[in-house]
Amino acid sequence: TRPKGTLELTIEVWVKNDDPDPKKGNEALATLEEAMRQALITWWPMATADLGMKIVDMSYIGVAGDGENYRPHAMAVYGLQIKWAK
């Protein structure tokens, strides 16, 4: 039997924006979240080659915001599940 498993990660994404308009902070957060998504898409094939394993599936298992509690910081917390096989 080939080794396989599931890895669950929590990723926090934070930005600081001093603009009094909360929309500006949310836009900055959305830009950073998109950069994170693109980095994960790029990482997937590199991890397969570098680690000698196959990533079978990678999916978000949840996302939560900060409810405007940390202004001037904005954040989102992502749950990420990675299924892999050797």
Side-chain angles (χ1 to χ4, degrees):
T1 304
R2 298 169 68 188
K4 63 181 179 177
T6 300
L7 175 66
E8 292 187 4
L9 302 172
T10 300
I11 302 171
E12 290 188 9
V13 182
W14 288 82
V15 297
K16 181 178 181 193
N17 188 294
D18 291 316
D19 194 301
D21 182 0
K23 183 177 177 183
K24 299 294 184 186
N26 291 334
E27 289 170 352
L29 181 60
T31 298
L32 184 58
E33 288 173 304
E34 181 58 26
M36 178 197 70
R37 283 188 283 275
Q38 292 303 316
L40 287 170
I41 290 167
T42 302
W43 171 79
W44 182 316
M46 291 188 319
T48 298
D50 291 348
L51 301 174
M53 65 177 192
K54 179 180 179 183
I55 296 177
V56 178
D57 184 45
M58 184 167 58
S59 59
Y60 293 108
I61 54 175
V63 62
D66 65 359
E68 308 293 322
N69 291 323
Y70 300 104
R71 291 287 171 207
H73 296 87
M75 63 91 73
V77 179
Y78 283 83
L80 182 68
Q81 184 178 71
I82 301 170
K83 293 182 180 179
W84 60 273
K86 218 41 175 145

